[in-house]
Amino acid sequence: MNALEHFARLSGCQWIDGQLRPGSGGASQEVLDPATEQCIGQISDASREEVERAVAVANRAQQLWNRSNGLHRAEALHAVAAEIRRQQPLVAEMLTREIGKTYKESFDEVSWSATAVDYYAELGRHEIGRVTGPVVDGQFNFSLKEPLGVVVLILPFNYPLCLLCWQAAAALAAGNSVIIKPSELTSLTTLQFVQAFAALGEGLVQVLTGGAEVAQQLVRHPNTHMVAFTGGIETGRIVARECAGLYKRTLIETSGNDPFIVMPSAPLDIAARGAAFGAYLNCGQVCASSERFYVHDAVYDAFVERLAYHAGRIRVGNGLDKVDMGRSPPRCSASATSAFSTAPSSRAPASPPVAVARAAWSGAGSPRRPCCVTCVRRWTSCMTRASARWRRSAGSKAWTRR
């Protein structure tokens, strides 16, 4: 069965109690291949009944899993890692077709995912608590780490499998069960990927697809006991507030807008190459990517010229071809392009100059050329509140701290 046939098999389904089940939710949406803009499947929103069933199954499975010893859990997780590696070519192709990143980036992500499972398998076997020295004669003092119960994982689209394994493997190694709410942009690949966890037992790892309403039900449910969220800042605040009101534990990572500072002492060729790599890796969708550049006036022009040159060498196209950067999903690209294109004119009297790099595009849809936007005013929306701590003197290209 090839990747497209797997997409068809997984469309409209949920992964509940160790089985792929046709979804009973009403809402559904098409999944488009970013490179071709052809429909490759559909996802549905999990119904309230499916959420209730998944939570009940997860609590039952967690109790059984927690009774097993650490050695058994470690061996079972190592078996999961082996299965992830076995299906690596298929999952990598599916991820590229669904999210648009290059095949190499997808292949690497699956490899990192397997490594994470192996790592937490051993950590869970050895780290169950500690013995501390007594302060009173005849006493024996120790602490024991106990699982929380059912952990909800709300995942983003940029590294959906790697982040899944960082969080799920840790939770499972500690004796928890997990329910995954993947991004709507990577749900089909996630449904295929989690089948590698089937050897652990039915119900320990489940996937419920859908949007914000599904996530909200899982966060608010009285029988889920922790929420791990990775995504946008505003949504992270909502999750934090909801869980605070329930005294429910959280692990929250929200997006960043990271500065890249270039001083005269920097080797410009290396800095420019590193900046281009950091900015365009994974279509720029990395929490630690290079997004804002603060360049000293003495090297500003030379750095921009070199950065535009390296950006221009990036081959953009179908992630399954010989390219350096794939294409983001249409919905993601449209929202980002709209936000960017309206930003310069929102308060600034003139749009900032753009150092455009030539880059070829082959495939469906409009071309997306890497470009370097220069002399951006600090109040434009493509900069963040963090930028408000910086100012640019009149007539100068250099930014300085307030």
Side-chain angles (χ1 to χ4, degrees):
M1 187 178 294
N2 61 34
L4 295 178
E5 291 170 336
H6 278 289
F7 283 133
R9 177 179 64 87
L10 298 164
S11 287
C13 291
Q14 312 290 341
W15 182 256
I16 300 175
D17 202 7
Q19 296 183 33
L20 197 63
R21 303 173 182 272
S24 60
S28 65
Q29 63 186 46
E30 290 186 337
V31 177
L32 303 180
D33 183 329
T36 65
E37 297 189 0
Q38 299 297 310
C39 178
I40 57 175
Q42 298 84 32
I43 63 169
S44 63
D45 285 1
S47 65
R48 186 170 295 276
E49 292 74 21
E50 287 169 328
V51 171
E52 291 294 338
R53 179 173 184 175
V55 172
V57 167
N59 277 277
R60 183 196 68 210
Q62 187 273 329
Q63 293 175 16
L64 295 174
W65 177 247
N66 189 37
R67 293 173 193 164
S68 60
N69 61 70
L71 177 60
H72 168 75
R73 292 205 293 260
E75 291 175 341
L77 286 169
H78 284 310
V80 170
E83 177 61 19
I84 290 173
R85 293 186 176 96
R86 188 192 68 79
Q87 63 169 322
Q88 187 170 9
L90 169 65
V91 172
E93 179 185 346
M94 293 179 69
L95 186 57
T96 292
R97 290 184 181 276
E98 190 171 16
I99 197 59
K101 63 174 69 183
T102 66
Y103 181 78
K104 182 187 184 304
E105 289 171 336
S106 297
F107 197 86
D108 286 345
E109 182 174 349
V110 180
S111 178
W112 302 335
S113 301
T115 301
V117 175
D118 278 331
Y119 170 78
Y120 283 111
E122 289 304 304
L123 194 64
R125 183 160 70 96
H126 292 96
E127 295 291 332
I128 61 171
R130 60 178 299 191
V131 175
T132 57
V135 295
V136 177
D137 292 344
Q139 284 191 351
F140 179 74
N141 299 331
F142 67 96
S143 61
L144 187 64
K145 296 180 180 179
E146 296 282 359
L148 294 172
V150 178
V151 179
V152 174
L153 311 182
I154 303 174
L155 299 172
F157 70 88
N158 59 340
Y159 286 102
L161 310 182
C162 187
L163 289 168
L164 185 158
C165 286
W166 286 357
Q167 298 169 7
L172 291 164
N176 300 284
S177 61
V178 298
I179 299 176
I180 300 160
K181 209 298 287 181
S183 164
E184 299 96 305
L185 300 176
T186 53
S187 293
L188 296 181
T189 302
T190 303
L191 285 168
Q192 174 62 36
F193 180 75
V194 296
Q195 295 179 42
F197 290 82
L200 299 183
E202 296 179 352
L204 269 180
V205 178
Q206 301 179 94
V207 177
L208 296 176
T209 65
E213 186 176 347
V214 177
Q216 186 181 66
Q217 292 176 44
L218 289 169
V219 169
R220 291 178 172 177
H221 202 288
N223 293 324
T224 62
H225 309 102
M226 179 177 177
V227 177
F229 170 84
T230 308
I233 294 173
E234 292 306 319
T235 307
R237 287 182 178 138
I238 294 172
V239 172
R241 285 196 295 266
E242 291 282 356
C243 291
L246 298 168
Y247 290 98
K248 188 175 294 189
R249 299 194 189 191
T250 60
L251 176 64
I252 295 178
E253 179 193 355
T254 53
S255 55
N257 197 357
D258 308 295
F260 190 109
I261 301 173
V262 184
M263 300 299 288
S265 58
L268 290 189
D269 287 330
I270 295 175
R273 290 185 64 186
F277 177 82
Y280 298 113
L281 175 68
N282 196 37
C283 299
Q285 300 297 331
V286 185
C287 60
S289 65
S290 306
E291 300 176 30
R292 296 176 290 136
F293 296 86
Y294 298 101
V295 185
H296 194 282
D297 191 48
V299 294
Y300 182 90
D301 292 326
F303 176 79
V304 170
E305 180 182 1
R306 285 170 171 81
L307 178 55
Y309 168 75
H310 288 297
R313 299 184 66 189
I314 296 173
R315 298 168 297 178
V316 184
N318 190 322
L320 296 176
D321 296 335
K322 293 182 179 180
V323 298
D324 304 305
M325 186 170 75
R327 188 185 180 204
S328 296
R331 281 192 295 150
C332 173
S333 299
S335 59
T337 302
S338 175
F340 173 80
S341 62
T342 58
S345 60
S346 59
R347 287 182 58 184
S351 297
V354 179
V356 179
R358 293 180 179 272
W361 164 265
S362 58
S366 58
R368 295 287 184 267
R369 296 188 300 168
C371 64
C372 313
V373 182
T374 62
C375 299
V376 179
R377 290 174 168 82
R378 64 183 173 86
W379 54 74
T380 55
S381 60
C382 56
M383 308 291 271
T384 65
R385 292 192 184 99
S387 306
R389 299 194 299 267
W390 296 76
R391 64 179 175 84
R392 185 159 59 94
S393 301
S396 172
K397 299 170 186 169
W399 289 77
T400 57
R401 256 195 191 280
R402 281 186 164 182

